[in-house]
Amino acid sequence: MDLENLVRTYLIWIENGQGKAKSTIDSQKEDLRLFVRYLKEEDVQLEDVDQVFLQGFLDSLSLRYQATSISRLTSTLRSFFGYLNIFYGLKDPSTLLQAPKREKKLPVWADGKEIDEILKRFDESPKGILDKTIIMVLFCCGLRVSELCTLKQNDVRLNQKQIRVYGKGGKERMIPLVDACVSQMETYSQTIRKPTGNAGIYFFVSPKGKQLNRQYVYRLVKACARQENLSPEFSPHSLRHSYATRLIEKDTDLRLVQELLGHSDISTTQIYTHIDSSRLVDTIDTALPSPCFGSDCANNQDKNEQDEDNDC
């Protein structure tokens, strides 16, 4: 079998048959490039690949790649061999692969005050209006960067205060807009949005009139984070985390948060309950005095009892 041709047909299948996002397709393409190169280096035919060989391939990458990358590559191999099993009848040696455990880290996010400080920095120049609108939509709608860049003009319904978004797998969801976001989007749309050519179908266009790309958004958010002394790990996706955290803080039902974010599994959404709990602990630590022992505590006991009697 022509391995490289099989990879090409597989990538076409996940794009057209499964509706995978371009970023996912690009990632899997790179994963499979590494796998094909390893097969050639080891002079092994695809039909002869077994679980031991695949595990050896993953283990060989452990010194050069992080656990998250190897975990993603494991998922790619499972998907690829599942495809080969279904359409070509090849055995699937990937089902029992052991991926490294991914460290569970709380997402980086910003609170409302920090976002307000970012928004105050933008002027009324064309670029200032565009950049401010990007930040507001990411924060007020919880969009992924790919969803922001591919947001269509006819899916923006400012008179109804909502936008229609197509997420992973082409899954559709409606996002309500707050008044401030509607006002900013109207300002952008009516004053500086000047698309050229085919870019007219997209709501967001670059200063040159082209479709907005991920690199522009990434550089913008990173610059804002540096100006406000936010975490070096702060990224466009952190604004999505900030949106979700804000909803949880306001006691929004978790199922509704899942729907607004476009998560297929509610377990993905539940990470934001941990963020809220973590923040609560920090708040309590700040608000309450440290436990005291010995004479200091005894000396203050009478005063504390008097204070309790005076509480309203």
Side-chain angles (χ1 to χ4, degrees):
M1 289 186 174
D2 185 344
L3 179 56
E4 294 183 351
N5 185 57
L6 288 174
V7 170
R8 281 194 294 270
T9 57
Y10 165 74
L11 294 173
I12 293 172
W13 177 68
I14 64 172
E15 179 180 10
N16 298 329
Q18 294 191 321
K20 296 293 186 182
K22 184 179 183 301
S23 57
T24 300
I25 296 170
D26 290 343
S27 296
Q28 293 205 20
K29 182 178 181 180
E30 176 61 21
D31 291 341
L32 292 173
R33 185 188 67 81
L34 290 174
F35 178 59
V36 169
R37 186 172 67 185
Y38 186 78
L39 280 174
K40 291 180 178 179
E41 290 174 351
E42 298 296 320
D43 194 23
V44 173
Q45 298 300 310
L46 184 64
E47 302 91 294
D48 298 326
V49 171
D50 58 16
Q51 181 187 339
V52 174
F53 180 85
L54 288 182
Q55 195 65 59
F57 167 58
L58 295 176
D59 292 344
S60 72
L61 300 175
S62 60
L63 296 178
R64 290 182 291 150
Y65 294 88
Q66 294 182 347
T68 52
S69 297
I70 298 178
S71 179
R72 187 199 67 206
L73 201 150
T74 304
S75 178
T76 297
L77 291 175
R78 287 173 178 154
S79 179
F80 179 58
F81 277 100
Y83 164 81
L84 295 177
N85 177 257
I86 293 172
F87 291 99
Y88 296 92
L90 290 182
K91 63 181 179 181
D92 184 357
S94 67
T95 54
L96 298 179
L97 281 179
Q98 296 294 318
K101 291 186 177 180
R102 300 172 62 175
E103 180 184 358
K104 291 185 178 181
K105 296 173 60 178
L106 293 180
V108 176
W109 58 282
D111 60 29
K113 291 182 180 179
E114 290 170 326
I115 299 298
D116 283 342
E117 290 302 316
I118 290 175
L119 295 175
K120 288 177 183 177
R121 289 182 175 271
F122 297 112
D123 56 28
E124 295 303 312
S125 67
K127 188 176 186 308
I129 293 173
L130 169 62
D131 291 352
K132 184 176 182 178
T133 308
I134 291 171
I135 297 296
M136 286 195 71
V137 172
L138 286 173
F139 176 67
C140 295
C141 302
L143 301 190
R144 302 177 177 94
V145 179
S146 58
E147 294 169 348
L148 178 99
C149 293
T150 57
L151 182 64
K152 300 288 183 61
Q153 174 73 2
N154 59 10
D155 289 326
V156 176
R157 305 168 183 179
L158 297 181
N159 59 331
Q160 300 175 26
K161 297 183 179 181
Q162 62 181 7
I163 58 175
R164 179 170 57 190
V165 177
Y166 294 93
K168 292 184 176 181
K171 185 178 179 181
E172 177 184 333
R173 67 186 193 274
M174 301 299 296
I175 308 293
L177 301 173
V178 297
D179 290 342
C181 193
V182 170
S183 177
Q184 182 63 33
M185 293 174 75
E186 285 178 340
T187 298
Y188 158 75
S189 181
Q190 296 170 7
T191 61
I192 69 159
R193 181 180 177 274
K194 297 178 181 179
T196 59
N198 294 333
I201 65 173
Y202 299 105
F203 181 75
F204 282 106
V205 294
S206 71
K208 294 183 179 181
K210 306 293 185 181
Q211 180 189 0
L212 197 68
N213 59 48
R214 299 166 63 93
Q215 290 74 23
Y216 184 96
V217 179
Y218 183 85
R219 289 194 295 267
L220 166 63
V221 174
K222 281 295 187 181
C224 292
R226 285 193 299 269
Q227 290 173 344
E228 294 303 321
N229 294 318
L230 300 180
S231 167
E233 297 180 6
F234 197 88
S235 69
H237 212 67
S238 300
L239 290 167
R240 176 172 161 88
H241 296 322
S242 304
Y243 169 78
T245 305
R246 184 76 167 170
L247 292 176
I248 295 295
E249 287 178 342
K250 298 299 181 181
D251 296 325
T252 308
D253 181 79
L254 197 62
R255 289 288 181 184
L256 178 56
V257 177
Q258 177 191 7
E259 182 178 336
L260 290 171
L261 292 174
H263 287 160
S264 58
D265 191 336
I266 198 168
S267 64
T268 307
T269 316
Q270 287 174 331
I271 185 65
Y272 299 108
T273 63
H274 297 303
I275 293 177
D276 195 41
S277 298
S278 175
R279 185 180 183 187
L280 177 61
V281 171
D282 290 340
T283 302
I284 292 175
D285 284 343
T286 302
L288 298 181
S290 300
C292 56
F293 301 94
S295 59
D296 288 341
C297 189
N299 291 337
N300 289 326
Q301 183 173 1
D302 292 340
K303 182 180 184 302
N304 291 340
E305 290 175 351
Q306 182 178 358
D307 289 342
E308 289 174 1
D309 290 338
N310 292 334
D311 284 344
C312 295

